Amino acid sequence: MADYCIYDDMDNEIADLTDHVPTGKVAAVWVGAQIDKAESEIDGRLGSRYTVPFTTVPALITTIAIYLATSRILNPGFIGEIPADSKVVDTYYKRADDLLKRLESGELVLETATESTDDTASPQSSTSSQTREFTQNILDSDGDVSSYGSMDGW
């Protein structure tokens, strides 16, 4: 699996990155853990549309990973009693969330990524052997309408 983003990406995004690392933690290890969490969220949200983890990482995925990891790294320093204290953190997360929602819905497409062909990744009916309860027409085995139904009896 290719890294969606790396420590250097985070160092470029966050001024004085090491100042945000909790006391007693090794910066590269702690930041790496935040990146791993961001990658897991991306894979979890996009796994029904694309084959994840991405082997070749699209630039948009790198951007999303940077936004998510940044929100995780900055979060401990911006939690306060006033909700406005976390606007910076919220902005990074909202940017990532918006992009992920647009990818999930198909509004945005990752041209270089492989779309998932795994039918089990999408919602499935567990009643394929049963007839529909709320159908307008009932079809015979040839696909012709054999009777017309209605909801009047309900």
Side-chain angles (χ1 to χ4, degrees), residues 14-141:
I14 303 172
D16 303 317
L17 175 61
T18 55
D19 292 347
H20 298 282
V21 176
T23 304
K25 302 286 185 180
V26 176
V29 173
W30 188 78
V31 170
Q34 307 319 306
I35 291 170
D36 289 346
K37 290 173 185 174
E39 291 174 353
S40 292
E41 182 171 348
I42 292 167
D43 288 350
R45 291 186 59 181
L46 298 182
S48 65
R49 287 195 67 82
Y50 297 99
T51 301
V52 293
F54 297 100
T55 51
T56 302
V57 183
L60 184 57
I61 295 301
T62 297
T63 299
I64 293 169
I66 290 169
Y67 289 164
L68 288 173
T70 298
S71 72
R72 290 181 173 281
I73 291 165
L74 295 179
N75 192 47
F78 284 86
I79 294 178
E81 293 178 16
I82 302 169
D85 285 351
S86 64
K87 279 186 179 180
V88 172
V89 175
D90 293 344
T91 300
Y92 275 105
Y93 187 82
K94 285 177 185 176
R95 286 179 184 170
D97 186 54
D98 177 58
L99 291 169
L100 286 168
K101 284 178 181 174
R102 292 171 67 195
L103 286 167
E104 289 170 312
S105 72
E107 181 184 344
L108 287 177
V109 177
L110 298 171
E111 296 290 335
T112 59
T114 304
E115 290 201 33
S116 177
T117 57
D118 181 7
D119 289 338
T120 62
S122 300
Q124 302 291 315
S125 171
S126 61
T127 59
S128 61
S129 62
Q130 297 177 354
T131 58
R132 291 179 164 192
E133 293 291 328
F134 304 107
T135 185
Q136 183 69 19
N137 302 325
I138 298 175
L139 305 178
D140 62 19
S141 60

